[in-house]
Amino acid sequence: MALPSLTASVAKKSAASLSTAQKSERKYNDISYPKYSPDGKHLAFLARRSKKWVAVMDGKELPGEVDEPGFASWGFSRGTGRFFMSGRMKSTFIHVVDGTPTPGFEIISQIAFSRDGNHYAYGGADSKGGFKKQKIFGTIVKDGQPLATYEGKGMAGSWSGLGGSTEVIVGGIHNLTTDFHGVSSPEFDPNGKLVYAARRDKGDVAVFQGGDAGPGFDEILSPVIFTEDAQHFAYVARQGQDFVEVSDNKPILTISAGKRGATSVGWIAISADSAHLAYETISGGRNFKAAVTMRAFRTAIIDGKSGSEYNALGLANFNFDPASRHYFYEVIGAEGDRDLVNVDGHESRLYDAVANTHYLSDGKTIAFVARDGSRFFRVTFTLSPATTLPSVSTAALTGTTGPGSHDERLTSSWAFSE
């Protein structure tokens, strides 16, 4: 007799649970995909009720709401797992951190957290209309409080509209450029000091670390990158038509960009032992600067030495090996739509596509997947001492009836040796 009673009890609980779930489902008009906290103890998602979006964590709504969320800007901070949500609230964009809304601006940067999670920061910018010039003011916000405000170079005023064209600031959640917005997107160094760039005046854009400011440049083109021990940092600036490599706020190398000028820096990286610095310089034409194309002249700079220049769509997936003796990167659109992989200055042949370049567990082999027409290959580079050339082989994965492998011979020298 106990078994039927237990079954009935379970059935009632299941019905009650289903009823609760159904009510919960009817509670929201829409929901986002879920995200777990770094420790896996919390689960959160965004939910829309009528015209407002809120965050729901562990089945409970958090304070704070937005009219439209930034689906690429919400979740948990790394390590400490503080929760944040970003989005539009009326005519401004805000972050909501642990349920508390922050000051809003026409445009805001992604939010940055210190390693210990005790602090957060972001940049915001607003425009102010005028006849001759629209002024733009950028502000650094730390822990919900405005810290410093600087004026960007601004835009044409309303008088320019008489000619049939006007300029407006693009609102939303974007990276801030110091010369235009007045401040950069801020970050924290490994010791928790706030780092950002600010435009003190035309041609006087400087990097601030804590309360210390570096020399002035026309623009700061790259993020600031720190060694693991936080004792040193580096970035790339623009002065006139030149790239300037800066270490610990001291210029150490100037690289001419030619008539196209120093447009931007795609990425910057430092090796695990902090001994090697690399970055991608970009010199783009009119269409690149207008965001019509990604094709531009791109060069990887390794320890102050320029590699091959590519008129390409991008230099991607750069990485040093674990021992900090070798490097690789993918050249996307190296020739038309075809790609290649550069290993210590050695180029693979062109493929229709390359992907997933990585070091194997032995630390001496680099592998990637390549497509050549309808055939897919696994290509491996075996790293060698400086006195010998690396060996390269390809193994067919699918879609080929020919031989499974062949060798390639490379003729350039190693950038780093064993």
Side-chain angles (χ1 to χ4, degrees):
M1 296 297 293
L3 184 58
S5 176
L6 179 60
T7 303
S9 176
V10 171
K12 289 180 180 179
K13 289 182 179 180
S14 299
S17 298
L18 180 59
S19 177
T20 301
Q22 288 174 337
K23 290 179 181 179
S24 179
E25 289 176 0
R26 290 195 299 267
K27 188 176 181 180
Y28 302 112
N29 302 101
D30 197 3
I31 61 171
S32 72
Y33 54 86
K35 287 185 179 181
Y36 276 102
S37 61
D39 59 10
K41 296 180 179 179
H42 303 284
L43 181 66
F45 61 90
L46 305 184
R48 179 172 65 88
R49 184 194 303 108
S50 185
K51 297 182 180 181
K52 300 294 183 180
W53 285 82
V54 296
V56 181
M57 184 190 300
D58 301 333
K60 297 180 180 180
E61 288 187 14
L62 296 177
E65 61 184 19
V66 295
D67 295 331
E68 182 181 356
F71 286 107
S73 181
W74 72 275
F76 297 90
S77 65
R78 293 182 180 180
T80 57
R82 295 187 68 177
F83 185 82
F84 69 96
M85 172 179 64
S86 311
R88 179 181 60 82
M89 192 64 179
K90 295 183 179 179
S91 61
T92 65
F93 289 82
I94 66 171
H95 296 294
V96 181
V97 183
D98 294 332
T100 301
T102 64
F105 300 87
E106 291 179 53
I107 178 174
I108 57 174
S109 72
Q110 294 278 358
I111 195 166
F113 290 89
S114 59
R115 285 190 176 184
D116 59 12
N118 290 334
H119 303 285
Y120 68 87
Y122 65 96
D126 285 324
S127 60
K128 184 178 181 181
F131 288 107
K132 293 184 178 181
K133 178 182 178 181
Q134 295 184 68
K135 294 184 177 181
I136 297 178
F137 296 94
T139 300
I140 298 295
V141 178
K142 180 181 179 183
D143 298 333
Q145 300 298 319
L147 182 67
T149 298
Y150 297 87
E151 184 177 348
K153 69 178 182 181
M155 302 179 295
S158 58
W159 278 358
S160 65
L162 300 176
S165 63
T166 58
E167 292 182 305
V168 295
I169 189 172
V170 179
I173 305 168
H174 307 288
N175 284 329
L176 303 183
T177 56
T178 316
D179 186 48
F180 181 78
H181 296 109
V183 297
S184 69
S185 303
E187 55 192 305
F188 290 92
D189 71 16
N191 287 332
K193 288 185 178 180
L194 186 61
V195 180
Y196 62 92
R199 184 183 190 270
R200 298 177 294 197
D201 201 352
K202 181 179 180 180
D204 188 20
V205 176
V207 168
F208 289 75
Q209 182 190 23
D212 300 325
F217 297 98
D218 289 336
E219 180 63 293
I220 307 299
L221 298 179
S222 78
V224 180
I225 191 168
F226 287 83
T227 57
E228 185 63 28
D229 60 9
Q231 297 303 305
H232 303 283
F233 63 93
Y235 58 91
V236 181
R238 177 179 64 82
Q239 192 66 41
Q241 301 301 313
D242 299 329
F243 295 97
V244 182
E245 183 179 314
V246 185
S247 178
D248 297 334
N249 264 337
K250 297 179 181 178
I252 62 172
L253 176 67
T254 298
I255 301 172
S256 175
K259 64 180 181 179
R260 286 177 175 263
T263 306
S264 59
V265 170
W267 44 260
I268 185 168
I270 194 167
S271 61
D273 63 0
S274 304
H276 305 291
L277 180 70
Y279 50 91
E280 175 194 6
T281 60
I282 303 175
S283 296
R286 182 185 305 171
N287 287 339
F288 177 86
K289 294 173 183 177
V292 175
T293 179
M294 290 299 295
R295 190 169 295 279
F297 288 96
R298 301 168 182 268
T299 303
I301 310 296
I302 316 291
D303 291 344
K305 297 180 180 179
S306 298
S308 299
E309 183 181 68
Y310 299 98
N311 186 8
L313 299 175
L315 307 186
N317 197 23
F318 180 92
N319 207 346
F320 288 105
D321 76 307
S324 303
R325 295 190 179 101
H326 306 284
Y327 64 85
F328 67 73
Y329 57 89
E330 300 166 359
V331 184
I332 308 303
E335 186 175 306
D337 293 331
R338 309 197 80 194
D339 309 336
L340 61 83
V341 173
N342 187 307
V343 180
D344 289 353
H346 301 292
E347 296 177 350
S348 74
R349 69 180 181 88
L350 289 165
Y351 296 95
D352 290 329
V354 299
N356 193 32
T357 308
H358 62 283
Y359 291 100
L360 299 186
S361 58
D362 63 6
K364 298 180 180 180
T365 307
I366 293 171
F368 63 91
V369 175
R371 181 177 64 84
D372 193 5
S374 61
R375 299 177 299 172
F376 287 85
F377 297 97
R378 183 175 185 267
V379 186
T380 57
F381 280 67
T382 301
L383 303 175
S384 307
T387 55
T388 61
L389 296 177
S391 61
V392 184
S393 65
T394 62
L397 296 177
T398 184
T400 180
T401 57
S405 64
H406 67 271
D407 289 331
E408 294 181 353
R409 291 298 175 185
L410 305 174
T411 57
S412 55
S413 61
W414 287 101
F416 302 132
S417 62
E418 296 281 7

